C-alpha cells in the first residue's frame, strides 16, 4: 500500500514496494540495487550525473530511528530553552515584549513550515536540513510557549504550569498511542491513510486561510483562543494522534524493506514534526482552559 504522507512517500521502502532481499530502487542510493547483502554494490549509483554518491552505512533499524529522533527532539528542546531565556524576564514583560514573542514564534513557525516542505519532498534526505528544521521548530516552540505563559497568567499569579502540562500531555499522548498501536495491533489500511492525510491537509488549509485573513484584521478565529480555537485544537490533537499512528506504520515498513540507515533521519523528521504538532495543540488547549 502506497504512502500518501509526503514525508515518507519519497522512498519506496516506506510504501512496502521494496524488500530487504529483493530488488529495490532507493533515491540517491544507486539504481536497482540487488539487495543490501553485497557491500560492493553500495555507492555505485550516480544520481544527478554522478553527484551525491552514497556510501553504505548499514540498514535502518528501530535503534537508529530512536537515536536520530532523540537527537532531533533534543535540538528542538535546546533551541526552545535558549529562546526562552534569551527573550527577557516573564515577571517584568511588557506588552511590546509579548508582541515580540509572538513575532518570533511566527518567524520560527513559517521558517519551520517552509523547511518542512523541503524536507518532505526531498528525495535524498539531508540530516543537516532536518537539524536546521529542528532549530526553527525549537525557536517557535520556545517563543510561543513563553508568550502563552505570560498572556494567560492572571494578575498576581506566578507564570508557570502550561508548559509542564503540555510536555506531560505530549509524553502521555505519544506513549499511549504507541502502546495502543502495538498492543491492539492496529493495522493501517489504504482507506484509513487517505482519510487521515486528507483531513490533515484540510486542517492545514483552514488554519493557513485564517492566518492570512488575520493579516487583514478579518480572522475567523480558528487560530484564536476562543471556543472556535478550542474546537480546532481538539480536532488538531486528534489528527496528531492519527498521524502518529501513520508514522509508526511507515517506520515499520521502512525497516522491513531494509532501507539504508540514512533514512532514519527521514523517519526522525516525520516523528518530530508530529510530536511538536501534538505539543502545540495541547498547549493551546491548556491555555484556553486556563483563560476561561
Amino acid at each position: 500500500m502506497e504512502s500518501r504522507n509526503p514525508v515518507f512517500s519519497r522512498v519506496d521502502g516506506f510504501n512496502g514496494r521494496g524488500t530487504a532481499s529483493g530488488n529495490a530502487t532507493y533515491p540517491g542510493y544507486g539504481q536497482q540495487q540487488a539487495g543490501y547483502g553485497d557491500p560492493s554494490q553500495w555507492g555505485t549509483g550516480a544520481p544527478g550525473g554522478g553527484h551525491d554518491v552514497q556510501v553504505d552505512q548499514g540498514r535502518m533499524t528501530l535503534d537508529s530511528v530512536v537515536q536520530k529522533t532523540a537527537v532531533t527532539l533534543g535540538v528542538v528542546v535546546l533551541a526552545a530553552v535558549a529562546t526562552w531565556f534569551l527573550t527577557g524576564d516573564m515577571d517584568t514583560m511588557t506588552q511590546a515584549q509579548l508582541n515580540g514573542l509572538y513575532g518570533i514564534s511566527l518567524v520560527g513557525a513559517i521558517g519551520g513550515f517552509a523547511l518542512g516542505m523541503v524536507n518532505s519532498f526531498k528525495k535524498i534526505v539531508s540530516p543537516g536540513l532536518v537539524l536546521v528544521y529542528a532549530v526553527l521548530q525549537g525557536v517557535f516552540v520556545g517563543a510561543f510557549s513563553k508568550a502563552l505563559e505570560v498572556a494567560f497568567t492572571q494578575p498576581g499569579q506566578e507564570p508557570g504550569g502550561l508548559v509542564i502540562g503540555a510536555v506531560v500531555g505530549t509524553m502521555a499522548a505519544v506513549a499511549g498511542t504507541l502502546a495502543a498501536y502495538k498492543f491492539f495491533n492496529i493495522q493501517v489500511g489504504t482507506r484509513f491513510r487517505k482519510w487521515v492525510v486528507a483531513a490533515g491537509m484540510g486542517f492545514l488549509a483552514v488554519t493557513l486561510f485564517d492566518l492570512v485573513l488575520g493579516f487583514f484584521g478579518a480572522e475567523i478565529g480558528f487560530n484564536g483562543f476562543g471556543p472556535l480555537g478550542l474546537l480546532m485544537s481538539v480536532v488538531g490533537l486528534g489528527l496528531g494522534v492519527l498521524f502518529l499512528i501513520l508514522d509508526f506504520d511507515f517506520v515499520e515498513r521502512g525497516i522491513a524493506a531494509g532501507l539504508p540507515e540514512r533514512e532514519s533521519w527521514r523517519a526522525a523528521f516525520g516523528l518530530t514534526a508530529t510530536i511538536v504538532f501534538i505539543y502545540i495543540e495541547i498547549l493551546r488547549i491548556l491555555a484556553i482552559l486556563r483563560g476561561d
Side-chain angles (χ1 to χ4, degrees):
M1 291 180 287
E2 181 178 356
S3 163
R4 300 291 180 180
N5 189 323
V7 175
F8 298 105
S9 62
R10 311 303 298 170
V11 181
D12 289 348
F14 282 110
N15 301 309
R17 295 198 295 265
T19 63
S21 58
N23 294 339
T25 301
Y26 300 114
Y29 291 93
Q31 306 298 319
Q32 290 293 89
Q33 299 178 40
Y36 292 93
D38 182 6
S40 65
Q41 298 299 314
W42 282 79
T44 58
H51 299 290
D52 298 328
V53 175
Q54 305 296 325
V55 179
D56 178 21
Q57 295 181 343
R59 298 178 186 174
M60 186 177 81
T61 65
L62 182 59
D63 285 344
S64 67
V65 172
V66 171
Q67 291 167 3
K68 301 301 188 298
T69 303
V71 170
T72 308
L73 286 174
V75 172
V76 172
V77 172
L78 289 176
V81 170
T83 302
W84 183 290
F85 285 104
L86 292 175
T87 50
D89 187 354
M90 289 195 299
D91 295 329
T92 60
M93 186 162 290
T94 64
Q95 184 62 45
Q97 289 175 313
L98 180 60
N99 292 337
L101 277 177
Y102 283 123
I104 293 173
S105 68
L106 184 61
V107 171
I110 294 176
F113 175 77
L115 198 54
M117 291 296 98
V118 174
N119 285 326
S120 295
F121 293 99
K122 189 174 174 60
K123 286 189 175 182
I124 303 175
V125 62
S126 171
L129 288 181
V130 171
L131 294 179
V132 173
Y133 165 82
V135 171
L136 291 172
Q137 287 292 81
V139 172
F140 164 55
V141 167
F144 190 68
S145 299
K146 188 172 183 178
L148 293 196
E149 284 282 19
V150 174
F152 286 88
T153 297
Q154 301 299 326
Q157 291 182 341
E158 289 292 330
L162 287 181
V163 172
I164 295 177
V167 169
V168 172
T170 302
M171 294 173 61
V174 174
T177 304
L178 179 58
Y181 178 77
K182 297 302 293 183
F183 294 148
F184 294 104
N185 193 27
I186 297 176
Q187 301 297 316
V188 177
T190 303
R191 180 175 299 179
F192 174 80
R193 185 179 294 111
K194 288 181 178 179
W195 276 104
V196 172
V197 173
M201 294 299 181
F203 183 89
L204 177 63
V206 168
T207 53
L208 288 179
F209 178 69
D210 193 39
L211 180 63
V212 172
L213 288 180
F215 290 128
F216 300 96
E219 70 269 14
I220 301 174
F222 293 130
N223 298 316
F225 295 93
L228 190 56
L230 177 61
L231 176 62
M232 286 297 291
S233 288
V234 171
V235 172
L237 177 58
L239 283 173
V241 169
L242 294 178
F243 268 104
L244 203 55
I245 292 175
L246 294 187
D247 291 342
F248 294 150
D249 175 69
F250 294 145
V251 169
E252 281 195 336
R253 290 174 181 273
I255 293 173
L259 287 181
E261 192 272 342
R262 185 186 183 94
E263 289 299 319
S264 299
W265 285 105
R266 193 184 306 275
F269 163 64
L271 287 166
T272 299
T274 302
I275 291 172
V276 169
F277 178 74
I278 290 175
Y279 168 82
I280 291 298
E281 296 306 323
I282 293 178
L283 182 69
R284 280 171 46 83
I285 290 172
L286 294 178
I288 294 171
L289 293 178
R290 175 189 281 187
D292 194 21

